[in-house]
């Protein structure tokens, strides 16, 4: 359980500081130290990303940094790409 807490904290800090998904940290660490399946890790980090995104939206929105003229056109292509990438990851072998 402590490993999950540590991975989540590390992923959250990196994601918050750099604006990238915490999965960049969580998946490699968990793969090396815990060895669950790739699909299990990807699913878990995608669920965690929902919480991260909502927190970031609230934080940046309150600070006045959300520019919908820039962000709105990114939403649909991002959703499509995530769906395609997620589907592709299920058929690609982790090795």
């Amino acid at each position: 359980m402590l490993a999950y807490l540590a991975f989540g904290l590390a992923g959250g800090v990196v994601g918050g500081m750099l604006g990238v998904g915490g999965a960049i940290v969580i998946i490699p660490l968990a793969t090396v130290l815990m060895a669950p399946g790739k699909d299990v890790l990807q699913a878990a980090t995608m669920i965690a990303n929902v919480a991260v995104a909502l927190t970031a939206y609230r934080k940046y929105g309150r600070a006045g940094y959300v520019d919908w003229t820039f962000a709105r056109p990114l939403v649909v292509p991002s959703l499509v790409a995530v769906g395609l990438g997620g589907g592709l990851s299920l058929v690609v072998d982790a090795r």
Side-chain angles (χ1 to χ4, degrees):
M1 192 59 161
L2 284 175
Y4 291 107
L5 180 61
F7 297 157
L9 288 172
V13 168
V14 170
M17 287 176 49
L18 303 177
V20 297
I24 288 174
V25 173
I26 296 169
I27 290 176
L29 283 175
T31 298
V32 170
L33 300 174
M34 300 172 73
K38 167 187 72 77
D39 297 328
V40 170
L41 288 171
Q42 286 175 303
T45 56
M46 288 297 140
I47 292 167
N49 285 341
V50 172
V52 171
L54 291 173
T55 302
Y57 171 71
R58 190 173 76 213
K59 184 76 139 177
Y60 287 109
R62 286 183 180 162
Y65 291 120
V66 176
D67 179 357
W68 284 107
T69 59
F70 178 76
R72 190 176 292 115
L74 299 174
V75 173
V76 172
S78 295
L79 291 173
V80 170
V82 165
L84 293 172
L88 183 61
S89 75
L90 293 174
V91 297
V92 172
D93 188 8
R95 292 171 269 181

